[in-house]
Amino acid sequence: MRKIYMDYNATTPVRPEVLEAMLPFYTEHFGNPSSVHWAGRAVKGAIENAREQVATLINCSPAEIVFTSCGSEGDNFALKGTVDALKEKGNHIITTTVEHPAVLETCEYLEKQGCEVTYLPVDRDGMLDLQELEAAITDKTILISVMWANNETGNIFPIEEIGAIARKYKVRFHTDAVQVVGRIPVDMQKANVDLAVISGHKLGAPKGVGAIFVRRGTRMTQFMHGGHQERHRRAGTHNVAGIVGLGKACEIAQQTMELDAPRVRRLRDKLEKGIMEAIPEVKLNGHPDKRLPNTLNVSFAYIEGESILLNFDMKGIAASSGSACTSGSLEPSHVMCAMCVDIVLAHSSTRFSLGPDNTEEDVDYILQELPPIVQRLRDMSPLFNNDARMSCNQCRVVRRA
Ligand SMILES: *Cc1c(COP(=O)(O)O)cnc(C)c1O
């Protein structure tokens, strides 16, 4: 059976060149980078090389990169490390209702520890009102945390503008940059961010490695206590092979992004247009333009996203409903809810997230398989066959006879 992977926002395959760069660090280069002897020294150099590769991709100094075990760790570190370091100054955090659970659930934990958190709403396109953000800042605000791009809709937030607001009020600014790094150009200097989180497995490096940009001079309480690795910011013997892989993936992204991004966008746009033309009553979730080039999130009225996915799976197509972290639960995604997507449509939200390995034929195959699946599921759906069709004008449901 044909296999098509369109779930790059959940994870990506390790690039072959990345694996190749990593392998020696499981065998001949086995040293502990903290050791002073030859075995350690050989490995220490590789870590510093990877640090430079990551720093180059996001335009910062290598000294501002701290390696972590994953994106979730980075978000935990950014929030908890800030709250702990700045508790004399205040206890108020501003974030959004559409963040990844790594931010949202950390905020909920911090609320129990005495923090106050403002969760900014989004509009029906999933975008923020920056005036509302600015108005939420008080003299107790210590941190603004807004993701660079949303994993479910692909929406890109105006990070430079938010960074300028944070600067104006001298509030620290953290961004979960997991979905943008390696996909679109990002520049830590222009963005005015103080903390930015990266995850290896979202850009062609392996799972279990990540990094966080910590702007020079940003006071943070150490997240992992123990050894003196990572300038005392993160204890624990380095995941050497993983770090080498992350560095290599960043180097490759730097070289290929310029060509990959428009190619992926063209495929995504073809898929989007094809779906809208072939299937009635489909709604685009997210902003039509301010969106990652690889992400398409659509709702097929009257049917469940989960049943689409199961039918897709039988045809070898891997896509996603909501985020990977919440699928399996029957709750509609918190992102769809935050965007006021009608509950029935929220349940049918389906995400296609493309990557550099996808082809024109992949898109053609999906456009061939999807309409009959949707038709069959709608024929079985009591909602679809009800005379009183759901009406939700505000949600921009595309209706065709
Ligand atoms: C995947 C993802 C994370 C979590 O990264 P892990 O490395 O899987 O822990 C955090 N934020 C966003 C936006 C993500 O897409």
Side-chain angles (χ1 to χ4, degrees):
M1 184 176 58
R2 213 191 148 124
K3 279 201 176 144
I4 293 177
Y5 187 77
M6 279 205 190
D7 204 8
Y8 278 77
N9 289 9
T11 198
T12 64
V14 174
R15 293 187 191 249
E17 309 93 309
V18 167
L19 180 64
E20 200 185 323
M22 290 171 64
L23 286 176
F25 294 90
Y26 288 114
T27 52
E28 72 240 53
H29 303 317
F30 61 85
N32 184 326
S34 302
S35 304
V36 293
H37 49 61
W38 57 266
R41 278 199 311 274
V43 167
K44 175 111 175 66
I47 289 183
E48 294 320 310
N49 183 44
R51 204 184 299 283
E52 262 175 47
Q53 289 166 318
V54 178
T56 306
L57 180 63
I58 65 172
N59 190 26
C60 69
S61 154
E64 294 173 314
I65 296 295
V66 177
F67 289 114
T68 62
S69 69
C70 60
S72 300
E73 180 188 324
D75 286 331
N76 270 264
F77 175 42
L79 272 71
K80 293 175 188 167
T82 294
V83 165
D84 218 40
L86 301 185
K87 52 175 172 267
E88 310 291 293
K89 197 165 169 276
N91 67 342
H92 179 228
I93 300 171
I94 298 171
T95 188
T96 80
T97 45
V98 295
E99 297 298 310
H100 188 273
V103 168
L104 284 180
E105 299 206 1
T106 304
C107 282
E108 281 161 25
Y109 163 80
L110 288 168
E111 278 183 290
K112 291 193 193 110
Q113 307 296 308
C115 281
E116 281 187 33
V117 182
T118 302
Y119 299 92
L120 296 170
V122 292
D123 63 19
R124 284 174 184 277
D125 286 333
M127 297 309 281
L128 289 170
D129 178 346
L130 294 195
Q131 281 173 347
E132 205 168 342
L133 186 150
E134 187 163 352
I137 299 173
T138 71
D139 54 3
K140 289 269 178 272
T141 307
I142 50 170
L143 184 67
I144 296 172
S145 177
V146 177
M147 66 202 322
W148 204 310
N150 184 270
N151 44 305
E152 293 191 33
T153 57
N155 274 12
I156 299 174
F157 291 106
I159 292 304
E160 288 176 25
E161 288 170 56
I162 299 171
I165 295 172
R167 267 297 127 79
K168 181 167 147 197
Y169 292 90
K170 298 193 169 59
V171 175
R172 187 178 289 187
F173 180 30
H174 160 245
T175 185
D176 176 333
V178 169
Q179 291 291 346
V180 290
V181 172
R183 296 228 172 100
I184 57 172
V186 294
D187 182 327
M188 291 302 139
Q189 305 318 315
K190 272 200 215 142
N192 272 321
V193 301
D194 301 301
L195 300 160
V197 168
I198 301 172
S199 169
H201 73 102
K202 304 285 173 90
L203 75 143
K207 295 158 187 67
V209 66
I212 177 166
F213 159 77
V214 182
R215 186 175 293 284
R216 198 188 309 270
T218 305
R219 211 150 46 80
M220 297 281 286
T221 300
Q222 193 171 347
F223 183 60
M224 296 263 271
H225 297 267
H228 298 165
Q229 291 90 349
E230 299 298 281
R231 297 168 178 255
H232 298 254
R233 292 221 194 258
R234 203 269 188 189
T237 300
H238 296 89
N239 169 5
V240 178
I243 288 169
V244 168
L246 175 58
K248 187 72 187 171
C250 287
E251 185 189 78
I252 296 172
Q254 176 101 20
Q255 295 159 352
T256 58
M257 195 161 41
E258 211 179 319
L259 287 176
D260 275 350
R263 200 182 68 83
V264 166
R265 180 191 298 276
R266 208 171 37 74
L267 292 179
R268 190 273 314 266
D269 289 349
K270 177 177 173 175
L271 182 63
E272 179 171 334
K273 191 159 167 281
I275 290 176
M276 295 297 183
E277 280 171 5
I279 305 172
E281 298 188 66
V282 179
K283 177 186 175 291
L284 173 71
N285 298 312
H287 196 279
D289 315 310
K290 293 174 187 151
R291 197 163 28 125
L292 287 173
N294 79 319
T295 308
L296 172 63
N297 189 318
V298 278
S299 286
F300 302 95
Y302 317 113
I303 54 184
E304 289 275 337
E306 292 291 321
S307 32
I308 298 176
L309 293 188
L310 291 174
N311 280 274
F312 265 180
D313 193 30
M314 286 189 267
K315 299 283 182 187
I317 303 167
S320 161
S321 73
S323 67
C325 318
T326 48
S327 58
S329 78
L330 288 174
E331 295 287 303
S333 126
H334 70 283
V335 176
M336 295 304 129
C337 288
M339 289 163 61
C340 290
V341 174
D342 180 287
I343 188 95
V344 181
L345 283 172
H347 272 296
S348 73
S349 132
T350 305
R351 179 186 72 186
F352 301 88
S353 48
L354 288 71
D357 300 322
N358 286 126
T359 61
E360 203 85 29
E361 290 75 47
D362 292 349
V363 171
D364 292 338
Y365 181 72
I366 293 181
L367 289 177
Q368 168 199 315
E369 298 297 334
L370 180 60
I373 291 176
V374 171
Q375 190 54 52
R376 195 153 30 80
L377 292 171
R378 280 185 177 167
D379 286 344
M380 297 188 303
S381 162
L383 286 165
F384 186 66
N385 296 312
N386 193 331
D387 279 345
R389 288 279 179 94
M390 173 185 57
S391 79
C392 187
N393 297 325
Q394 294 113 313
C395 285
R396 295 189 290 114
V397 181
V398 180
R399 281 169 184 282
R400 277 185 220 96

PDB file of all heavy atoms in Angstrom, residues 75-99:
ATOM      1  N   ASP A  75       9.973  24.788  27.174  1.00  0.00           N
ATOM      2  CA  ASP A  75       8.853  25.622  27.634  1.00  0.00           C
ATOM      3  C   ASP A  75       8.751  25.603  29.160  1.00  0.00           C
ATOM      4  O   ASP A  75       8.521  26.637  29.787  1.00  0.00           O
ATOM      5  CB  ASP A  75       7.537  25.134  27.002  1.00  0.00           C
ATOM      6  CG  ASP A  75       7.425  25.519  25.523  1.00  0.00           C
ATOM      7  OD1 ASP A  75       8.001  26.548  25.126  1.00  0.00           O
ATOM      8  OD2 ASP A  75       6.755  24.789  24.768  1.00  0.00           O
ATOM      9  N   ASN A  76       8.917  24.449  29.763  1.00  0.00           N
ATOM     10  CA  ASN A  76       8.892  24.351  31.234  1.00  0.00           C
ATOM     11  C   ASN A  76       9.984  25.215  31.848  1.00  0.00           C
ATOM     12  O   ASN A  76       9.753  25.950  32.802  1.00  0.00           O
ATOM     13  CB  ASN A  76       9.087  22.897  31.679  1.00  0.00           C
ATOM     14  CG  ASN A  76       7.773  22.156  31.798  1.00  0.00           C
ATOM     15  OD1 ASN A  76       7.200  22.044  32.877  1.00  0.00           O
ATOM     16  ND2 ASN A  76       7.257  21.671  30.687  1.00  0.00           N
ATOM     17  N   PHE A  77      11.191  25.115  31.269  1.00  0.00           N
ATOM     18  CA  PHE A  77      12.337  25.873  31.768  1.00  0.00           C
ATOM     19  C   PHE A  77      12.075  27.377  31.637  1.00  0.00           C
ATOM     20  O   PHE A  77      12.275  28.147  32.584  1.00  0.00           O
ATOM     21  CB  PHE A  77      13.589  25.458  30.988  1.00  0.00           C
ATOM     22  CG  PHE A  77      14.837  26.236  31.314  1.00  0.00           C
ATOM     23  CD1 PHE A  77      15.167  26.556  32.616  1.00  0.00           C
ATOM     24  CD2 PHE A  77      15.708  26.614  30.293  1.00  0.00           C
ATOM     25  CE1 PHE A  77      16.341  27.264  32.909  1.00  0.00           C
ATOM     26  CE2 PHE A  77      16.873  27.310  30.579  1.00  0.00           C
ATOM     27  CZ  PHE A  77      17.185  27.642  31.882  1.00  0.00           C
ATOM     28  N   ALA A  78      11.588  27.790  30.463  1.00  0.00           N
ATOM     29  CA  ALA A  78      11.350  29.215  30.219  1.00  0.00           C
ATOM     30  C   ALA A  78      10.388  29.783  31.262  1.00  0.00           C
ATOM     31  O   ALA A  78      10.634  30.854  31.832  1.00  0.00           O
ATOM     32  CB  ALA A  78      10.787  29.415  28.811  1.00  0.00           C
ATOM     33  N   LEU A  79       9.316  29.070  31.507  1.00  0.00           N
ATOM     34  CA  LEU A  79       8.288  29.603  32.411  1.00  0.00           C
ATOM     35  C   LEU A  79       8.701  29.469  33.875  1.00  0.00           C
ATOM     36  O   LEU A  79       8.696  30.445  34.618  1.00  0.00           O
ATOM     37  CB  LEU A  79       6.944  28.896  32.153  1.00  0.00           C
ATOM     38  CG  LEU A  79       6.092  29.549  31.061  1.00  0.00           C
ATOM     39  CD1 LEU A  79       6.674  29.354  29.685  1.00  0.00           C
ATOM     40  CD2 LEU A  79       4.664  29.020  31.095  1.00  0.00           C
ATOM     41  N   LYS A  80       9.059  28.266  34.285  1.00  0.00           N
ATOM     42  CA  LYS A  80       9.379  28.055  35.705  1.00  0.00           C
ATOM     43  C   LYS A  80      10.663  28.787  36.081  1.00  0.00           C
ATOM     44  O   LYS A  80      10.751  29.381  37.158  1.00  0.00           O
ATOM     45  CB  LYS A  80       9.518  26.557  35.995  1.00  0.00           C
ATOM     46  CG  LYS A  80       8.209  25.799  35.856  1.00  0.00           C
ATOM     47  CD  LYS A  80       8.439  24.296  36.040  1.00  0.00           C
ATOM     48  CE  LYS A  80       7.195  23.509  35.714  1.00  0.00           C
ATOM     49  NZ  LYS A  80       7.467  22.062  35.580  1.00  0.00           N
ATOM     50  N   GLY A  81      11.647  28.755  35.182  1.00  0.00           N
ATOM     51  CA  GLY A  81      12.925  29.411  35.471  1.00  0.00           C
ATOM     52  C   GLY A  81      12.772  30.915  35.597  1.00  0.00           C
ATOM     53  O   GLY A  81      13.473  31.565  36.374  1.00  0.00           O
ATOM     54  N   THR A  82      11.826  31.497  34.833  1.00  0.00           N
ATOM     55  CA  THR A  82      11.574  32.933  34.914  1.00  0.00           C
ATOM     56  C   THR A  82      10.828  33.278  36.194  1.00  0.00           C
ATOM     57  O   THR A  82      11.202  34.202  36.925  1.00  0.00           O
ATOM     58  CB  THR A  82      10.751  33.396  33.686  1.00  0.00           C
ATOM     59  OG1 THR A  82      11.563  33.241  32.528  1.00  0.00           O
ATOM     60  CG2 THR A  82      10.312  34.840  33.825  1.00  0.00           C
ATOM     61  N   VAL A  83       9.768  32.529  36.464  1.00  0.00           N
ATOM     62  CA  VAL A  83       8.950  32.804  37.658  1.00  0.00           C
ATOM     63  C   VAL A  83       9.817  32.742  38.909  1.00  0.00           C
ATOM     64  O   VAL A  83       9.745  33.608  39.787  1.00  0.00           O
ATOM     65  CB  VAL A  83       7.773  31.805  37.732  1.00  0.00           C
ATOM     66  CG1 VAL A  83       7.120  31.808  39.106  1.00  0.00           C
ATOM     67  CG2 VAL A  83       6.745  32.138  36.658  1.00  0.00           C
ATOM     68  N   ASP A  84      10.676  31.754  38.961  1.00  0.00           N
ATOM     69  CA  ASP A  84      11.540  31.574  40.119  1.00  0.00           C
ATOM     70  C   ASP A  84      12.549  32.709  40.248  1.00  0.00           C
ATOM     71  O   ASP A  84      12.803  33.219  41.339  1.00  0.00           O
ATOM     72  CB  ASP A  84      12.272  30.233  39.958  1.00  0.00           C
ATOM     73  CG  ASP A  84      12.414  29.525  41.283  1.00  0.00           C
ATOM     74  OD1 ASP A  84      11.441  29.561  42.067  1.00  0.00           O
ATOM     75  OD2 ASP A  84      13.503  28.976  41.529  1.00  0.00           O
ATOM     76  N   ALA A  85      13.125  33.106  39.116  1.00  0.00           N
ATOM     77  CA  ALA A  85      14.170  34.135  39.155  1.00  0.00           C
ATOM     78  C   ALA A  85      13.602  35.531  39.404  1.00  0.00           C
ATOM     79  O   ALA A  85      14.292  36.394  39.936  1.00  0.00           O
ATOM     80  CB  ALA A  85      14.963  34.114  37.847  1.00  0.00           C
ATOM     81  N   LEU A  86      12.352  35.753  38.990  1.00  0.00           N
ATOM     82  CA  LEU A  86      11.803  37.120  39.071  1.00  0.00           C
ATOM     83  C   LEU A  86      10.707  37.251  40.126  1.00  0.00           C
ATOM     84  O   LEU A  86       9.859  38.144  40.031  1.00  0.00           O
ATOM     85  CB  LEU A  86      11.274  37.560  37.698  1.00  0.00           C
ATOM     86  CG  LEU A  86      12.282  37.573  36.534  1.00  0.00           C
ATOM     87  CD1 LEU A  86      11.639  38.141  35.273  1.00  0.00           C
ATOM     88  CD2 LEU A  86      13.533  38.379  36.869  1.00  0.00           C
ATOM     89  N   LYS A  87      10.702  36.377  41.114  1.00  0.00           N
ATOM     90  CA  LYS A  87       9.557  36.426  42.039  1.00  0.00           C
ATOM     91  C   LYS A  87       9.518  37.679  42.906  1.00  0.00           C
ATOM     92  O   LYS A  87       8.459  38.074  43.370  1.00  0.00           O
ATOM     93  CB  LYS A  87       9.411  35.145  42.864  1.00  0.00           C
ATOM     94  CG  LYS A  87      10.593  34.650  43.614  1.00  0.00           C
ATOM     95  CD  LYS A  87      10.131  33.431  44.458  1.00  0.00           C
ATOM     96  CE  LYS A  87      11.305  32.746  45.086  1.00  0.00           C
ATOM     97  NZ  LYS A  87      11.823  31.633  44.277  1.00  0.00           N
ATOM     98  N   GLU A  88      10.678  38.338  43.058  1.00  0.00           N
ATOM     99  CA  GLU A  88      10.690  39.612  43.787  1.00  0.00           C
ATOM    100  C   GLU A  88       9.956  40.697  42.994  1.00  0.00           C
ATOM    101  O   GLU A  88       9.407  41.636  43.554  1.00  0.00           O
ATOM    102  CB  GLU A  88      12.142  40.097  43.992  1.00  0.00           C
ATOM    103  CG  GLU A  88      13.069  39.063  44.563  1.00  0.00           C
ATOM    104  CD  GLU A  88      12.735  38.744  46.017  1.00  0.00           C
ATOM    105  OE1 GLU A  88      12.924  39.645  46.839  1.00  0.00           O
ATOM    106  OE2 GLU A  88      12.274  37.626  46.305  1.00  0.00           O
ATOM    107  N   LYS A  89      10.013  40.537  41.679  1.00  0.00           N
ATOM    108  CA  LYS A  89       9.516  41.588  40.788  1.00  0.00           C
ATOM    109  C   LYS A  89       8.000  41.506  40.562  1.00  0.00           C
ATOM    110  O   LYS A  89       7.327  42.526  40.422  1.00  0.00           O
ATOM    111  CB  LYS A  89      10.247  41.448  39.447  1.00  0.00           C
ATOM    112  CG  LYS A  89      10.175  42.653  38.565  1.00  0.00           C
ATOM    113  CD  LYS A  89      11.207  42.580  37.445  1.00  0.00           C
ATOM    114  CE  LYS A  89      10.971  43.660  36.407  1.00  0.00           C
ATOM    115  NZ  LYS A  89       9.968  43.297  35.398  1.00  0.00           N
ATOM    116  N   GLY A  90       7.479  40.278  40.503  1.00  0.00           N
ATOM    117  CA  GLY A  90       6.049  40.137  40.244  1.00  0.00           C
ATOM    118  C   GLY A  90       5.660  38.689  40.044  1.00  0.00           C
ATOM    119  O   GLY A  90       6.502  37.784  40.159  1.00  0.00           O
ATOM    120  N   ASN A  91       4.390  38.468  39.750  1.00  0.00           N
ATOM    121  CA  ASN A  91       3.916  37.088  39.626  1.00  0.00           C
ATOM    122  C   ASN A  91       2.920  36.927  38.489  1.00  0.00           C
ATOM    123  O   ASN A  91       2.178  35.957  38.438  1.00  0.00           O
ATOM    124  CB  ASN A  91       3.273  36.638  40.942  1.00  0.00           C
ATOM    125  CG  ASN A  91       1.987  37.402  41.221  1.00  0.00           C
ATOM    126  OD1 ASN A  91       1.754  38.467  40.644  1.00  0.00           O
ATOM    127  ND2 ASN A  91       1.162  36.860  42.081  1.00  0.00           N
ATOM    128  N   HIS A  92       2.905  37.887  37.559  1.00  0.00           N
ATOM    129  CA  HIS A  92       1.882  37.859  36.517  1.00  0.00           C
ATOM    130  C   HIS A  92       2.469  37.441  35.169  1.00  0.00           C
ATOM    131  O   HIS A  92       3.498  37.977  34.739  1.00  0.00           O
ATOM    132  CB  HIS A  92       1.228  39.246  36.399  1.00  0.00           C
ATOM    133  CG  HIS A  92       0.174  39.334  35.346  1.00  0.00           C
ATOM    134  ND1 HIS A  92       0.123  40.353  34.419  1.00  0.00           N
ATOM    135  CD2 HIS A  92      -0.867  38.518  35.062  1.00  0.00           C
ATOM    136  CE1 HIS A  92      -0.918  40.152  33.615  1.00  0.00           C
ATOM    137  NE2 HIS A  92      -1.531  39.049  33.981  1.00  0.00           N
ATOM    138  N   ILE A  93       1.798  36.473  34.547  1.00  0.00           N
ATOM    139  CA  ILE A  93       2.214  35.978  33.227  1.00  0.00           C
ATOM    140  C   ILE A  93       1.089  36.248  32.235  1.00  0.00           C
ATOM    141  O   ILE A  93      -0.083  36.078  32.561  1.00  0.00           O
ATOM    142  CB  ILE A  93       2.473  34.451  33.273  1.00  0.00           C
ATOM    143  CG1 ILE A  93       3.581  34.128  34.279  1.00  0.00           C
ATOM    144  CG2 ILE A  93       2.831  33.896  31.897  1.00  0.00           C
ATOM    145  CD1 ILE A  93       3.749  32.624  34.531  1.00  0.00           C
ATOM    146  N   ILE A  94       1.470  36.655  31.029  1.00  0.00           N
ATOM    147  CA  ILE A  94       0.473  36.802  29.957  1.00  0.00           C
ATOM    148  C   ILE A  94       0.775  35.765  28.889  1.00  0.00           C
ATOM    149  O   ILE A  94       1.912  35.664  28.413  1.00  0.00           O
ATOM    150  CB  ILE A  94       0.535  38.219  29.336  1.00  0.00           C
ATOM    151  CG1 ILE A  94       0.195  39.272  30.399  1.00  0.00           C
ATOM    152  CG2 ILE A  94      -0.420  38.326  28.150  1.00  0.00           C
ATOM    153  CD1 ILE A  94       0.441  40.706  29.931  1.00  0.00           C
ATOM    154  N   THR A  95      -0.231  34.981  28.530  1.00  0.00           N
ATOM    155  CA  THR A  95      -0.042  34.005  27.459  1.00  0.00           C
ATOM    156  C   THR A  95      -1.332  33.960  26.638  1.00  0.00           C
ATOM    157  O   THR A  95      -2.161  34.865  26.743  1.00  0.00           O
ATOM    158  CB  THR A  95       0.370  32.627  28.033  1.00  0.00           C
ATOM    159  OG1 THR A  95       0.712  31.761  26.946  1.00  0.00           O
ATOM    160  CG2 THR A  95      -0.741  31.984  28.853  1.00  0.00           C
ATOM    161  N   THR A  96      -1.489  32.953  25.800  1.00  0.00           N
ATOM    162  CA  THR A  96      -2.681  32.885  24.953  1.00  0.00           C
ATOM    163  C   THR A  96      -3.422  31.573  25.195  1.00  0.00           C
ATOM    164  O   THR A  96      -2.863  30.634  25.761  1.00  0.00           O
ATOM    165  CB  THR A  96      -2.334  32.956  23.451  1.00  0.00           C
ATOM    166  OG1 THR A  96      -1.887  31.658  23.017  1.00  0.00           O
ATOM    167  CG2 THR A  96      -1.243  33.972  23.165  1.00  0.00           C
ATOM    168  N   THR A  97      -4.653  31.535  24.733  1.00  0.00           N
ATOM    169  CA  THR A  97      -5.473  30.331  24.910  1.00  0.00           C
ATOM    170  C   THR A  97      -5.108  29.229  23.918  1.00  0.00           C
ATOM    171  O   THR A  97      -5.633  28.130  24.011  1.00  0.00           O
ATOM    172  CB  THR A  97      -6.967  30.674  24.708  1.00  0.00           C
ATOM    173  OG1 THR A  97      -7.071  31.499  23.543  1.00  0.00           O
ATOM    174  CG2 THR A  97      -7.520  31.420  25.895  1.00  0.00           C
ATOM    175  N   VAL A  98      -4.222  29.538  22.955  1.00  0.00           N
ATOM    176  CA  VAL A  98      -3.952  28.551  21.906  1.00  0.00           C
ATOM    177  C   VAL A  98      -2.536  27.973  21.974  1.00  0.00           C
ATOM    178  O   VAL A  98      -2.063  27.353  21.024  1.00  0.00           O
ATOM    179  CB  VAL A  98      -4.195  29.145  20.491  1.00  0.00           C
ATOM    180  CG1 VAL A  98      -5.659  29.483  20.309  1.00  0.00           C
ATOM    181  CG2 VAL A  98      -3.325  30.373  20.245  1.00  0.00           C
ATOM    182  N   GLU A  99      -1.865  28.180  23.115  1.00  0.00           N
ATOM    183  CA  GLU A  99      -0.495  27.652  23.247  1.00  0.00           C
ATOM    184  C   GLU A  99      -0.499  26.122  23.254  1.00  0.00           C
ATOM    185  O   GLU A  99      -1.524  25.471  23.498  1.00  0.00           O
ATOM    186  CB  GLU A  99       0.120  28.141  24.560  1.00  0.00           C
ATOM    187  CG  GLU A  99       0.293  29.635  24.662  1.00  0.00           C
ATOM    188  CD  GLU A  99       1.233  30.214  23.616  1.00  0.00           C
ATOM    189  OE1 GLU A  99       2.347  29.696  23.460  1.00  0.00           O
ATOM    190  OE2 GLU A  99       0.837  31.194  22.957  1.00  0.00           O
TER     191      GLU A  99
END
